[in-house]
């Protein structure tokens, strides 16, 4: 017969952690790990001298708020465990008297306090925040920011109150007030004549130098089916033209009546499309990408139908492409060097979207030959114009050519228009120094003897205090732009609006565009 445990042994044995305690400690550890990575990323940006290169403040604040919530839940879990332990002691035999079948069913017989804490912990936003960060670090490039809010103006239906709407609107029109003023009047006096409102949507990740908006959703197939059932749609129907398909397809966020009937993902896709239509990045509207890591296509037909409808709106949808693993407990201090190697690939390029051939305008041609751009030490003079004095100060802080122009040009082929080259040469001939005139000849390849690129760079190096890149493509080739522009209009490559813009530009600006 096995010996009974002594009083001393039972007293010194620590109680096993409850489900709520274990879960809260795990989530706390994972939250600390996420915050550590975010802080490491911020420190990395600061080390580059560009602490605000990627907007991270709002996202990190949300994670910190979640940490406080988890810390409170951890305290409640510990308190609930103590209360349940005291309650067990008051029952003869306590939980040790349970048989194996009852032990397997213990989750349903947890204390009220622990059940509440478990529900709160299982509803934590931490898995979502971790997934956003995971997507950003594994599936995005050219990060710009997280949790960014974008706005658009949206018209709303006008409401009628007892036939008084026309009279109210008429009075406003007599006063010369606009619809926007009517909307403000409603806010102030509770009238029912609002006609527009400013709406917004939060984008989880802004990537590709602002060209792409990424929305991460941790929704599950079960939850999506629940939403369909909640709206009363016939999810057993195999008809591709069913009411469900129609309702998904015709959702319009302008219509207040649709808000309660549409699936949340569909509403979000429509709202993001509206916000993108009111936003331009380098003249284009941002692309939208949805990432649904918990959904696998081809498993549930009605979930697939929702995804198809979202794609019809022009939104890219990726399912189950990102691993869902969370950091293991105790992983608060990962290898910083490994993290920084990852961070380097995430940063936006200072020179995105460069074509193999770059068009250099007149201003940049002058910068490339100026003494101010190639001399480390230029003494101030009272005879200098204040603009020259300011430029000398700026060059001392950050030289333009070695820090920006040469890196941007890289090994790309360089061209300029006849007009730009002619105007630059006129300025250099009129007010340029002898060294500036010499640089201009090398830059454009107008030397007395024909020189190879390596020889041009070697001679240019003698005229600069900075190291000239060996892959710099000299000389800059002069091209005739008028013929190309005319052909662009004739074959439709240039839009009609370009004609209106060109008519208002000088000759040099019409034919010259920086990259």
């Amino acid at each position: 017969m096995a010996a009974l445990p002594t009083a001393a042994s039972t007293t010194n044995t620590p109680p096993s952690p409850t489900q709520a305690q274990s879960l809260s400690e795990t989530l706390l550890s994972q939250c600390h790990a996420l915050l550590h990575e975010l802080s490491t990323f911020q420190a990395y940006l600061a080390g580059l001298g560009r602490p605000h290169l990627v907007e991270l403040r709002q996202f990190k604040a949300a994670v910190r708020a979640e940490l406080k919530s988890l810390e409170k839940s951890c305290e409640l879990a510990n308190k609930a465990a103590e209360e349940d332990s005291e309650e067990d002691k008051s029952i003869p035999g306590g939980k040790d008297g349970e048989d194996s079948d009852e032990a397997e069913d213990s989750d349903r017989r947890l204390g009220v306090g622990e059940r509440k804490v478990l529900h709160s912990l299982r509803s934590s936003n931490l898995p979502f925040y971790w997934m956003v960060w995971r997507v950003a670090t594994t599936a995005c490039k050219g990060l710009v920011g997280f949790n960014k809010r974008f706005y658009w103006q949206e018209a709303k239906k006008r409401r009628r109150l007892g036939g008084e709407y026309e009279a109210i609107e008429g009075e406003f029109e007599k006063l010369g007030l606009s619809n926007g003023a009517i909307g403000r009047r409603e806010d102030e006096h509770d009238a029912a004549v609002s006609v527009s409102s400013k709406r917004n949507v939060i984008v989880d990740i802004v990537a590709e130098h602002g060209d792409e908006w990424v929305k991460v959703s941790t929704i599950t197939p079960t939850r999506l089916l629940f939403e369909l059932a909640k709206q009363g749609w016939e999810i057993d129907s195999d008809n591709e033209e069913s009411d469900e398909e129609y309702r998904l397809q015709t959702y319009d966020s302008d219509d207040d009546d649709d808000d309660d009937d549409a699936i949340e993902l569909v509403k979000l896709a429509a709202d993001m499309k509206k916000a993108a239509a009111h936003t331009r990045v380098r003249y284009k509207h941002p692309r939208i990408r949805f990432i649904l890591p918990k959904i696998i296509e081809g498993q549930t037909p009605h979930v697939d139908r929702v995804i198809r409808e979202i794609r019809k709106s022009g939104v890219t949808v990726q399912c189950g492409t990102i691993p869902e693993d969370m950091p293991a407990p105790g992983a608060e201090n990962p290898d910083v060097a490994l993290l920084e190697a990852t961070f380097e690939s995430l940063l936006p390029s200072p020179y995105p979207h460069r074509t193999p051939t770059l068009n250099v305008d007149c201003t940049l041609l002058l910068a490339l030959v100026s003494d101010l751009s190639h001399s480390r030490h230029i003494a101030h003079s009272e005879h200098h114009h204040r603009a020259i004095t300011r430029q000398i100060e700026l060059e001392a802080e950050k030289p333009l050519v070695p820090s920006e122009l040469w890196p941007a040009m890289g090994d790309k082929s360089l061209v300029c228009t006849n007009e730009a080259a002619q105007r630059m040469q006129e300025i250099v001939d009129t007010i340029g120094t002898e060294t500036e005139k010499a640089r201009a000849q090398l830059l454009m390849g107008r030397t007395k003897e024909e020189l190879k690129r390596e020889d041009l760079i070697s001679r240019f190096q003698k005229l600069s205090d900075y190291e000239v890149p060996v892959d710099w493509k000299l000389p800059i080739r002069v091209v005739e732009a008028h013929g190309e522009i005319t052909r662009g209009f004739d074959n439709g490559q240039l839009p009609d609006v370009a004609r209106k813009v060109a008519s208002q530009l000088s000759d040099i600006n019409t034919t010259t565009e920086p990259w």
Side-chain angles (χ1 to χ4, degrees):
M1 179 180 294
L4 294 173
T6 63
S9 66
T10 56
T11 302
N12 296 330
T13 302
S16 299
T18 64
Q19 292 184 47
Q21 286 177 309
S22 297
L23 182 56
S24 64
E25 290 172 2
T26 298
L27 290 175
L28 270 175
S29 176
Q30 292 169 340
C31 193
H32 280 296
L34 176 55
L35 280 172
H36 177 75
E37 291 199 20
L38 295 178
S39 297
T40 304
F41 187 44
Q42 287 182 315
Y44 176 76
L45 296 177
L48 297 177
R50 308 179 73 181
H52 305 298
L53 182 61
V54 180
E55 176 55 51
L56 201 64
R57 184 173 53 87
Q58 294 291 342
F59 182 64
K60 189 175 181 181
V63 178
R64 280 177 173 165
E66 189 64 25
L67 177 63
K68 292 182 179 180
S69 176
L70 291 173
E71 288 173 342
K72 183 177 180 180
S73 295
C74 189
E75 294 176 2
L76 293 174
N78 292 333
K79 182 179 179 181
E82 292 175 2
E83 293 174 351
D84 290 347
S85 178
E86 292 298 325
E87 183 179 341
D88 290 341
K89 291 178 181 178
S90 65
I91 301 175
K95 291 186 178 180
D96 292 335
E98 297 174 350
D99 57 29
S100 59
D101 292 336
E102 291 175 336
E104 293 176 0
D105 201 33
S106 61
D107 188 51
R108 287 186 294 177
R109 290 183 288 102
L110 296 173
V112 175
E114 185 175 359
R115 284 203 302 271
K116 290 182 178 179
V117 176
L118 272 175
H119 177 73
S120 175
L121 292 171
R122 288 166 179 168
S123 303
S124 170
N125 287 324
L126 179 61
F128 167 72
Y129 294 140
W130 173 257
M131 184 53 65
V132 170
W133 179 243
R134 179 80 167 162
V135 167
T137 54
T138 60
C140 295
K141 301 292 182 182
L143 294 182
V144 173
F146 296 78
N147 274 35
K148 290 183 71 69
R149 194 180 298 271
F150 293 89
Y151 297 85
W152 76 97
Q153 200 73 20
E154 182 172 270
K156 284 188 175 181
K157 288 182 176 180
R158 299 179 177 182
R159 297 189 297 274
R160 185 189 300 271
L161 286 183
E164 297 177 357
Y165 175 78
E166 292 84 353
I168 295 173
E169 185 183 41
E171 291 300 320
F172 275 98
E173 289 178 351
K174 289 178 182 179
L175 295 174
L177 298 178
S178 64
N179 287 342
I182 296 177
R184 290 192 295 274
R185 188 77 176 204
E186 177 198 15
D187 294 336
E188 297 170 3
H189 301 288
D190 204 28
V193 289
S194 176
V195 294
S196 65
S197 66
K198 192 174 186 179
R199 297 192 61 179
N200 67 85
V201 66
I202 295 177
V203 177
D204 296 330
I205 306 168
V206 181
E208 296 292 342
H209 306 87
D211 289 343
E212 182 179 62
W213 292 355
V214 180
K215 174 60 187 173
V216 180
S217 175
T218 54
I219 193 170
T220 63
T222 301
R223 175 67 183 178
L224 202 50
L225 289 174
F226 176 78
E227 284 195 44
L228 288 169
K230 186 178 179 181
Q231 305 307 330
W233 290 341
E234 288 292 337
I235 64 173
D236 291 332
S237 173
D238 293 327
N239 183 4
E240 290 297 326
E241 301 299 327
S242 65
D243 287 345
E244 174 191 349
E245 191 92 25
Y246 178 75
R247 296 289 284 282
L248 289 171
Q249 214 167 357
T250 59
Y251 167 72
D252 184 353
S253 59
D254 288 346
D255 191 342
D256 294 336
D257 295 336
D258 281 342
D259 287 350
D260 295 332
D261 296 336
I263 294 297
E264 191 63 33
L265 278 180
V266 179
K267 291 167 59 179
L268 184 58
D271 287 347
M272 290 184 72
K273 288 292 291 184
K274 285 180 175 291
H278 286 74
T279 305
R280 287 187 181 271
V281 180
R282 287 177 290 277
Y283 309 105
K284 295 182 179 180
H285 299 297
R287 305 183 304 274
I288 300 173
R289 177 162 56 126
F290 275 30
I291 294 184
L292 315 175
K294 294 189 176 182
I295 290 180
I296 305 297
E297 285 189 83
Q299 293 185 347
T300 309
H302 300 287
V303 171
D304 292 345
R305 185 177 293 177
V306 174
I307 294 171
R308 287 199 303 271
E309 289 306 314
I310 295 175
R311 284 175 176 154
K312 285 181 181 179
S313 67
V315 174
T316 299
V317 182
Q318 293 178 313
C319 300
T321 57
I322 306 297
E324 299 180 41
D325 56 303
M326 294 275 284
E332 292 91 341
N333 297 298
D335 188 343
V336 174
L338 187 61
L339 284 177
E340 290 186 349
T342 302
F343 297 157
E344 184 177 0
S345 65
L346 305 179
L347 301 183
S349 167
Y351 317 108
H353 311 297
R354 291 181 301 166
T355 57
T357 300
L358 302 181
N359 183 12
V360 187
D361 70 358
C362 181
T363 303
L364 297 182
L365 292 175
L366 290 170
L368 290 169
V369 302
S370 172
D371 285 342
L372 295 179
S373 301
H374 292 278
S375 301
R376 290 182 183 272
H377 305 289
I378 296 181
H380 290 275
S381 171
E382 61 182 11
H383 301 295
H384 284 155
H385 188 278
R386 58 188 177 188
I388 299 296
T389 300
R390 178 55 180 158
Q391 188 173 351
I392 292 174
E393 295 172 350
L394 292 174
E395 287 289 337
E397 295 174 6
K398 186 177 182 181
L400 174 66
V401 171
S403 65
E404 294 190 25
L405 295 190
W406 279 336
M409 292 176 177
D411 60 352
K412 306 292 185 181
S413 297
L414 304 176
V415 300
C416 72
T417 64
N418 275 323
E419 291 75 14
Q422 181 179 347
R423 182 58 177 155
M424 181 272 292
Q425 195 63 54
E426 290 173 356
I427 294 173
V428 171
D429 290 343
T430 303
I431 61 175
T433 65
E434 291 303 316
T435 52
E436 288 172 336
K437 292 176 181 178
R439 290 192 199 97
Q441 290 178 345
L442 295 170
L443 187 71
M444 309 308 296
R446 294 173 179 170
T447 55
K448 294 180 180 179
E449 53 192 302
E450 186 175 348
L451 298 175
K452 295 181 179 179
R453 184 178 67 86
E454 293 78 6
D455 295 329
L456 291 173
I457 291 176
S458 177
R459 294 194 182 187
F460 204 99
Q461 181 65 77
K462 297 177 181 179
L463 301 173
S464 178
D465 290 345
Y466 302 104
E467 184 178 354
V468 180
V470 295
D471 59 351
W472 192 23
K473 293 292 182 67
L474 291 185
I476 294 178
R477 182 166 57 91
V478 179
V479 298
E480 172 57 51
H482 285 290
E484 293 296 328
I485 293 174
T486 300
R487 279 190 291 273
F489 283 127
D490 293 342
N491 61 26
Q493 286 184 319
L494 290 175
D496 290 338
V497 69
R499 295 181 184 272
K500 298 179 181 179
V501 174
S503 67
Q504 302 177 39
L505 297 177
S506 64
D507 188 53
I508 188 172
N509 289 328
T510 302
T511 56
T512 306
E513 284 293 335
W515 57 79

